[in-house]
Amino acid sequence: MLVNISIEEAKEILLNQDIKINTIDIPIVESLGYVLGEDIISDINMPPFDRSPLDGYALKSDNIKDASKENPIVLEVIDYVPAGYVSSRKIENGQAIRIMTGAKIPEGADVIIKYEDTEFTDKDVKIFNYLKPNSNIVKMGEDIEEGDIVLKKGHLIGPADIGIFATLGRGIVKVYSKPKVAILATGDELIDIDEIPREGKIRNSNSYTIAAQIKRIGGQPVILGICRDKIEDIKNKLKDSLEWADMVITTGGVSVGDADLVKEAFQEIGGEILFWKVNMKPGTPIAVAKYGNKLIFGLSGNPAAASITFEKFVRPTILRLMGKSKLNLVKVESTLENEFTKVSNQNRYVRAITYYKDGQFFTKLPNKHSSGVLTSLSGTNSLFYIRAGNGPFENGDKIEVEILDYPEVE
Ligand code: AMP
Ligand code: MG
């Protein structure tokens, strides 16, 4: 078993796991924010015909070569074609057809002159200027050509994409499904949130924080509740949830204490431990197991440790299950607005509040950093990584932070 590995090794091991990634077919309006699970290939040209981009007159460019303010050319108007209709007439020399935006260019015409530049009656139109052939004509296939791969598998679906599906006549598309992630809290000291703690007990908060973290990145959390520090109970809950969940996260019971049975439970149900303990603070005690083609993450019970190790290790796997390819948190250079005097012998992630002002990032640190403290995580949106041995840091130092809620772009 791999024990006490580096953060980089842990990430590498996780990335290399073959996991089962599912797709589903869903109605296009619901596909916003999902990742496309198929290439979208066009079987049409868009527009399907040469069309007019404005209201005006269709005619032959050659006929208006000598048109000027002083000597307008007068053409006979032989038809009228609104959008959605097609003229059956062919334009000959000396003729024009009145045409509306979106209508198909009539046969014989190679230019459109806009209304505003003409004078017209029902019977004829005066043209005052020359335009060369193909002016004001939108060519067939300008937007999409038949056979184009319009959108690629792996593309993050935005509003315009849903319009593209509609253009191509697709009411249903294949997307990567949002993984169902089961969350199990373990610990004899834990009680449900609607209970009054007796001596020695605390309410289970981890399941809720983690459910929200899963939701924030688009997964489907399922809170399983609390399990005592009893190996048989933990094994049963794990086995049951692995029947339907795409991934399981446990909190608590993964350290070296007498009641820390989670790692053994992973093994006893047939899971292969990929690693146990990562060289970082908070969150050293973390165990990850592979069960078939699913991963089981055993996170520390300490609220900040569970939350931060979720972001570093669980989040990339959930994103992979959702078909995403940008798995790392975005790193930015920032200016520290506090001091951080502790020199750690361990790699450390410090929760941080990073904001953008006048073209620069600035970072403030809360004053409590312990892995058991949840409240100082509130309002934080970033992690300040300190490599073992680095520091102390002073107000004004340039640092690098990883942003947790960076807007998703491809
Ligand atoms: P453990 O990882 O089981 O050693 O627990 C570490 C610390 O986290 C202990 O103080 C636990 O009481 C606390 N803890 C464990 N599970 C939870 C939970 N679900 N919610 C809040 N605190 C917890
Ligand atoms: Mg415990």
Side-chain angles (χ1 to χ4, degrees), residues 111-184:
V111 72
I112 307 294
I113 307 292
K114 62 175 184 244
Y115 264 3
E116 296 87 322
D117 294 345
T118 66
E119 272 174 24
F120 54 85
T121 67
D122 283 353
K123 293 195 181 64
D124 51 38
V125 59
K126 269 189 202 151
I127 311 290
F128 300 92
N129 61 303
Y130 172 69
L131 280 185
K132 57 182 193 300
N134 293 320
S135 305
N136 294 331
I137 290 182
V138 174
K139 287 289 175 198
M140 174 172 95
E142 181 196 56
D143 192 355
I144 301 170
E145 281 184 42
E146 190 181 331
D148 278 355
I149 301 176
V150 186
L151 297 170
K152 286 223 167 74
K153 184 172 168 170
H155 176 72
L156 177 65
I157 298 172
D161 302 319
I162 295 174
I164 292 171
F165 301 145
T167 299
L168 300 178
R170 295 288 305 267
I172 305 276
V173 283
K174 196 176 287 306
V175 297
Y176 290 98
S177 51
K178 299 193 169 177
K180 284 195 212 73
V181 185
I183 308 164
L184 180 64

Side-chain angles (χ1 to χ4, degrees), residues 186-189 229 252-253 259-260:
T186 73
D188 278 352
E189 74 279 33
D229 289 317
D260 290 334

Side-chain angles (χ1 to χ4, degrees), residues 60 107 206 284 308 334 401:
K60 289 185 187 296
E107 225 184 306
N206 285 343
T284 312
I308 291 172
S334 186
V401 292

